[in-house]
Amino acid sequence: MDDIFTKVREGNAFHVRVWLDNTENDLNQGDDHRFSLLHWAALEGKGNIVDMLIQRGARINATNMGDDTALHLAAAHGHGDIVLMLLHNKANINAINEHGNTPLHYACFWGYDQIAEELVNYGALIAMTNKFGETPLDKAKSKLAKMLKERAMALGQDMQKIPFKDRSFLGYKTRSRDALLSRHTGIDLSQLSLSAHIATTHSGDVWRGTWQENDIVAKILSMRECSVRNSRDFQEEFPRLRIFNHPNVLPVLACCNQPPNLVVISQFMSYGSLFNILHGETGIVVDQNQALRFALDIVRGMEFLHTLDPPIPNFLLTSKHVMIDEDLAKINIDDPRYHSADGTITGIDEDLTARINMADYKFSFHERGKMFSPAYIAPEALQKKAEDINIKAADMWSFSIVLWELETREVPFSDMSPMEIGMKVALEGLRVKIPPGISSHMSRLIKICMNEDPGKRPRFDMIITIMEKMKQAG
C-alpha cells in the first residue's frame, strides 16, 4: 500500500480503513515533522477520516514539531465540522503552539467567524496572549473582535490579559510517535542499552533500558535451553503482539531472536503495573472514579482483543499484566485544575490510562503446562485442557477478580500459596468474598462476571455500556 499519510491527505477512506485493520500499524505515528494521521486529516478537512481515527483511538492532543494540535490545524484551515468533532472528543481548546498561539488565534487571523464563535462558546479564552503579547482579538477584524468580546463577557470570562508562559520545558506535550518504533521487528541485542534490572519473574528477567533513544523494557525469557524450534516459534508468534492501534493495548515494539536469548521489548511505563499502583507505594490515590476508569479501559482493551481472528491465546488477565500509562495527550495543562497555588502542575494522575500489556503473553513453547497467578484463573481453566475451555468466558472471570481487586484494594487470597489457591479454587469452591460497602451495582457486576456457568458470563462488549453508565452516575 502507498504511503498512509498520502492516503489520508487524499481522503481515501477505504485504504485508511484497511491500513487501520492491520494491528501492526500505529495510527499515532508521525511523519518526519511529527504530523500524525489526525493532523493531516484535520488540516485537509477529511472529516470522515478524522472520525475514523478518533474512534480507533487517535491521540486528540498530540503535537507536531511546531506544537500544533489537530485543533490548531482545523481552526486555521476553516474546517468547522472537524473543529466541533475534536471539541466533542475533549480536544485542548486553549492549547498553545511554539509561537504561543491557540486555535482561537488562528480562527481570528484567518477570519473564520463562525469557528471563532464556537471556540469561545466552548471555553476558548480571548485574553490569552502569544509570544508577541497578542490576544486572539488583536488578530481579528474589528467586527469579529467586538462580537467575540461581548460573547466572552456574557460567558463570564476575565478580560485581563493572560501573559504567555513557555511550558515546553515541563515536558507536558505529547508528540506524535516516532514512526520507526512501529517499523522495526527483529533487532540486534547490541542495539539495546540495558541500564537497570527491574525484576525477576517466572517468565524471565525484566530490564529497563533505551533503544532508538526511547525508554523501553526488555524481558529476557527464562529458558533452560533454546532450541531451533523455540526460536522459530518465537519468530512466528511475536508479530501478533504488535498491536499499535488501540489506546488500551500496550504493544510489543520488537524482539531480539538470538538464541540462547529471546527478548521481548515494550515501552517503559513509569508507573508500572496496576498491581503496583494498587498495592505498592506509588503515592497515587485510586479513588472510586479512577478505579472505574481503569476498569473501563481494561474492558475496552479486552473487548478489542476478543475481536481478533484468530484470537490471541495464552494471555492471562491479571492486575500485573495491566500497565498504567500517563497519557499526556489527554492533559490540558492550561486548565486551572492542573495548577496548585504556587503555579506548579498537579493532578496529572487523574488522566492515567490502563493498557493491557502484550509483553506478558505466554509463548506456546514457554513454561508449557505451568499455571501462574491461579487467583485470577477461572475454575474450569484450572481443571480442563486448553482446547476444552471457552477462552472468552475464562477472561471474563479473570476480569471479575481484577474488578474485585480495584474495589477492595486487596490482593486476592494473599494469605495462601499459589498451589493452595489453585487447588482450592478448582476443587473446593474457594471464591473471593464481596465485602459490605461496595455499591450494589458494582457488587452485582462482579457476581455476573464470575458466574459459575461459563456460558452465562457476559461478553466484554456487553458490559461496556453498563460501566459507562456507572461512570456517568459517579
Side-chain angles (χ1 to χ4, degrees), residues 14-34:
F14 172 77
H15 280 271
V16 174
R17 185 177 293 108
V18 171
W19 188 88
L20 289 172
D21 285 340
N22 182 346
T23 59
E24 283 197 41
N25 290 328
D26 184 359
L27 86 167
N28 287 304
Q29 72 182 44
D31 61 14
D32 292 343
H33 297 282
R34 289 296 192 272

Side-chain angles (χ1 to χ4, degrees), residues 27-28 36-39 42 49-64 67-74 82-93 95 103 174-176 247 327-332:
L27 86 167
N28 287 304
S36 68
L37 302 180
L38 185 61
H39 278 105
I49 294 180
V50 169
D51 183 54
M52 190 190 309
L53 292 169
I54 291 174
Q55 296 305 317
R56 296 292 186 106
R59 292 189 165 193
I60 303 295
N61 294 315
T63 59
N64 60 16
D67 284 341
D68 294 303
T69 65
L71 186 60
H72 279 100
L73 300 177
I82 293 176
V83 167
L84 289 175
M85 202 181 302
L86 293 168
L87 291 175
H88 289 157
N89 285 277
K90 300 183 179 179
N92 179 356
I93 197 166
T174 295
R175 294 247 188 269
S176 299
D327 191 352
L328 300 180
K330 288 183 176 180
I331 296 170
N332 173 2

Side-chain angles (χ1 to χ4, degrees), residues 59 181 408 438:
R59 292 189 165 193
L181 283 177
T408 63
I438 291 180

Side-chain angles (χ1 to χ4, degrees), residues 59-219:
R59 292 189 165 193
I60 303 295
N61 294 315
T63 59
N64 60 16
M65 281 187 172
D67 284 341
D68 294 303
T69 65
L71 186 60
H72 279 100
L73 300 177
H77 290 81
H79 304 307
D81 57 333
I82 293 176
V83 167
L84 289 175
M85 202 181 302
L86 293 168
L87 291 175
H88 289 157
N89 285 277
K90 300 183 179 179
N92 179 356
I93 197 166
N94 292 306
I96 55 176
N97 64 12
E98 63 180 353
H99 303 296
N101 289 320
T102 65
L104 184 58
H105 277 89
Y106 289 118
C108 289
F109 178 79
W110 292 108
Y112 296 122
D113 297 17
Q114 189 171 351
I115 291 176
E117 186 178 3
E118 286 288 4
L119 289 169
V120 172
N121 287 337
Y122 272 83
L125 301 174
I126 67 168
M128 285 189 73
T129 61
N130 60 19
K131 276 186 176 180
F132 313 104
E134 301 166 318
T135 69
L137 299 190
D138 296 327
K139 297 283 192 180
K141 292 180 180 179
S142 57
K143 183 180 178 182
L144 175 59
K146 182 175 181 293
M147 184 268 288
L148 292 179
K149 184 175 181 180
E150 291 174 352
R151 183 65 187 143
M153 290 178 69
L155 291 170
Q157 282 196 30
D158 188 345
M159 295 297 107
Q160 186 173 351
K161 283 191 175 183
I162 303 169
F164 167 75
K165 291 182 181 178
D166 183 4
R167 296 196 181 95
S168 59
F169 68 94
L170 293 172
Y172 290 127
K173 296 280 187 182
T174 295
R175 294 247 188 269
S176 299
R177 284 198 285 255
D178 182 351
L180 289 176
L181 283 177
S182 57
R183 290 177 187 163
H184 284 75
T185 51
I187 64 174
D188 193 279
L189 194 59
S190 62
Q191 294 177 326
L192 298 179
S193 175
L194 304 182
S195 56
H197 184 258
I198 297 176
T200 297
T201 68
H202 61 81
S203 59
D205 282 315
V206 183
W207 291 78
R208 181 179 178 181
T210 56
W211 171 57
Q212 301 280 345
E213 298 183 352
N214 293 282
D215 290 330
I216 55 98
V217 171
K219 179 163 73 173

Side-chain angles (χ1 to χ4, degrees), residues 441-453:
H441 294 299
M442 186 58 72
S443 176
R444 193 177 303 118
L445 181 59
I446 293 172
K447 289 176 181 176
I448 291 171
C449 294
M450 62 186 305
N451 194 303
E452 294 293 331
D453 182 349

